Amino acid sequence: MTGNQSIGKALYEAHAAYKEKSLQKRRFKHADILPLINKLRSTEAEVNLLGQSVEGRDIFEVSLGQGGKNIMLWTQMHGDEPTSTMAVFDMILFLQSGDVEFAELRGLILSQLRLSFIPMLNPDGVERFQRRNAMEIDLNRDAIQLACPESRILKAAHQKNKPVFGFNLHDQSKYYNVPETNHTATHSFLAPAYNYAKDINETRRSAMQGIALMQEVLDVLHPNHTGRYNDDFEPRAFGDNIQLWGTSTILVEAGGMQNDSEKQEIRRMHFAILLTLLYNIATDSVGEYSVDKYWAIPENDRKLNDLIVRNVHIPSLDTSIDISINHYEREDDSSLGFYLEGQIEDVGDLSTFFGYSEFDAQNLHYRRAEVFPEILSELSALEALDFDALLLQGIGVVRVKDIQLKQNFERIPLLMVESNDEADWGLKPENRCAFFLEDVKGIKFAIINGKLHDLDT
Ligand SMILES: [Zn+2]
């Protein structure tokens, strides 16, 4: 292991001790970070109110360190991209800790750097768990026009701080993969271009070197799960402009990871790689890295699905095809804030795609789900159904009326559809998902709402 790999690994191992424990799931709100910000006021940290969002939510800057090199990190410019907000609060806890294990590293960071964290730049988007702000504008296309107060706040903070490094912290779709593999692109990086020619000046080169360093750490923590973002110049984006304004700007995207739907493991890796890089900025060591390591990161692809059922024989066509299905989060008022709805993504030859899970339906035939004959309006009647018996008869859909559909959707192993809903579940992209796999002896599997049920056992 290299020195930085050892540091990154040690930080990763130690993360639990510094984890901000009030943030454990992705859908926290502005109200959840206010107490954390308030607590920081009574510490060494300097807390500045930078301004308000469209709907009047406060946007803060938390500054730490006494050094001469300014660094700026901003998170959740897109409201539904929370991973780095969690990681940033962990980093602040780490930097404020008095633990001896990392005293030297911490001391160097705080003596050489002046760190400015802007956690949750788009609190109105967070409230809706959506990308855009309350004006329905994508802040990352508003760096020039500055139509939104949140954009003006970020630009003003940049002009005030004049950081040498800027960290533009986002989440990307969990369906990104490392090309030609089923590996999730758990992290993606970009040193954004600052012109159409994609020139590389000193500013951008340093950003690439910083990414090379973080990738070296990820080679140990989570090898072969990083993608490089396309570097086409986007003249309206903040990353591209902040690079142009002379700050080495690094885009970090938190993608998906098997068995980490709440992104707690990715948050942990963020904590480790970002702190390792900050330490190297503090010690002036980033320049030792080769940009070749940056270019060696394969460019992101987007070929993942939640489930792929392969080689399904379609009797009416007498041919076999693949079916891909994604599970989309739909808003509700449960403790999780969402339920999952399965949707057919694509049908046909999906040999170039990969699934978080895959099932080979060789020698099994497709059978469309039939609808339960009655419309049910009592939850108790719905719950009293013999689900396994119905599924074995080929009934996979139930029409309901006056039943809280969202709250029960994932709990009931039939596809629930409102009685007045024209929903279709035939094999067609964007349709809902309810079908069976059978052989000559009968039904073997049900795929209802995107989940595979083995009826054979
Ligand atoms: Zn984003």
Side-chain angles (χ1 to χ4, degrees), residues 124-221:
D124 301 346
V126 172
E127 211 59 26
R128 299 159 171 80
F129 206 70
Q130 70 174 26
R131 177 181 179 89
R132 291 166 182 251
N133 76 344
M135 292 160 67
E136 295 298 336
I137 287 177
D138 182 344
L139 300 179
N140 211 19
R141 299 292 178 267
D142 194 33
I144 300 302
Q145 195 174 50
L146 299 172
C148 305
E150 299 89 348
S151 312
R152 296 193 287 273
I153 284 169
L154 181 58
K155 177 153 192 199
H158 180 265
Q159 286 184 326
K160 179 190 67 167
N161 292 322
K162 299 183 177 61
V164 287
F165 272 89
F167 291 86
N168 188 14
L169 303 172
H170 290 251
D171 283 64
Q172 68 183 1
S173 164
K174 65 173 175 172
Y175 301 124
Y176 279 104
N177 67 314
V178 176
E180 294 165 44
T181 74
N182 64 355
H183 288 192
T184 52
T186 301
H187 290 86
S188 287
F189 294 123
L190 174 68
Y194 60 89
N195 61 13
Y196 282 109
K198 306 184 187 183
D199 289 331
I200 300 170
N201 59 4
E202 270 311 307
T203 305
R204 190 173 176 217
R205 178 173 295 115
S206 294
M208 290 174 174
Q209 290 169 317
I211 291 168
L213 188 157
M214 289 192 285
Q215 182 52 34
E216 183 181 278
V217 176
L218 287 174
D219 285 342
V220 175
L221 299 185

Side-chain angles (χ1 to χ4, degrees), residues 62-319:
V62 178
S63 301
L64 285 171
Q66 310 303 324
K69 285 183 213 160
N70 289 346
I71 312 288
M72 220 170 96
L73 308 92
W74 58 98
T75 80
Q76 243 168 328
M77 169 192 290
H78 294 140
D80 56 352
E81 302 180 6
T83 306
S84 56
T85 303
M86 297 187 277
V88 153
F89 279 106
D90 301 343
M91 290 164 70
I92 293 171
L93 280 179
F94 171 85
L95 291 168
Q96 295 200 308
S97 156
D99 290 358
V100 290
E101 187 186 357
F102 296 100
E104 192 194 331
L105 177 141
R106 187 183 294 118
L108 272 162
I109 290 176
L110 293 175
S111 64
Q112 300 303 309
L113 308 182
R114 176 71 174 167
L115 298 161
S116 295
F117 299 93
I118 305 175
M120 202 182 277
L121 184 66
N122 176 10
D124 301 346
V126 172
E127 211 59 26
R128 299 159 171 80
F129 206 70
Q130 70 174 26
R131 177 181 179 89
R132 291 166 182 251
N133 76 344
M135 292 160 67
E136 295 298 336
I137 287 177
D138 182 344
L139 300 179
N140 211 19
R141 299 292 178 267
D142 194 33
I144 300 302
Q145 195 174 50
L146 299 172
C148 305
E150 299 89 348
S151 312
R152 296 193 287 273
I153 284 169
L154 181 58
K155 177 153 192 199
H158 180 265
Q159 286 184 326
K160 179 190 67 167
N161 292 322
K162 299 183 177 61
V164 287
F165 272 89
F167 291 86
N168 188 14
L169 303 172
H170 290 251
D171 283 64
Q172 68 183 1
S173 164
K174 65 173 175 172
Y175 301 124
Y176 279 104
N177 67 314
V178 176
E180 294 165 44
T181 74
N182 64 355
H183 288 192
T184 52
T186 301
H187 290 86
S188 287
F189 294 123
L190 174 68
Y194 60 89
N195 61 13
Y196 282 109
K198 306 184 187 183
D199 289 331
I200 300 170
N201 59 4
E202 270 311 307
T203 305
R204 190 173 176 217
R205 178 173 295 115
S206 294
M208 290 174 174
Q209 290 169 317
I211 291 168
L213 188 157
M214 289 192 285
Q215 182 52 34
E216 183 181 278
V217 176
L218 287 174
D219 285 342
V220 175
L221 299 185
H222 196 36
N224 305 315
H225 281 82
T226 307
R228 182 166 44 82
Y229 236 80
N230 177 294
D231 71 344
D232 287 347
F233 179 55
E234 170 46 78
R236 303 166 299 164
F238 266 103
D240 305 51
N241 279 288
I242 291 178
Q243 194 88 274
L244 178 67
W245 301 333
T247 294
S248 296
T249 306
I250 294 177
L251 171 77
V252 183
E253 300 270 1
M257 186 174 175
Q258 197 76 254
N259 303 318
D260 189 30
S261 61
E262 290 299 332
K263 298 198 169 189
Q264 299 303 302
E265 184 63 17
I266 305 175
R267 159 194 191 169
R268 184 180 178 189
M269 289 191 271
H270 263 47
F271 168 87
I273 61 177
L274 289 169
L275 282 171
T276 307
L277 177 50
L278 291 179
Y279 169 67
N280 279 265
I281 297 172
T283 56
D284 268 328
S285 314
V286 181
E288 292 162 19
Y289 278 79
S290 163
V291 295
D292 294 348
K293 175 125 184 106
Y294 171 78
W295 291 114
I297 301 170
E299 210 173 299
N300 264 350
D301 202 354
R302 191 173 176 151
K303 292 234 167 33
L304 280 171
N305 297 112
D306 285 307
L307 171 66
I308 298 185
V309 185
R310 299 204 182 273
N311 307 309
V312 183
H313 183 255
I314 311 292
S316 61
L317 304 171
D318 195 22
T319 187

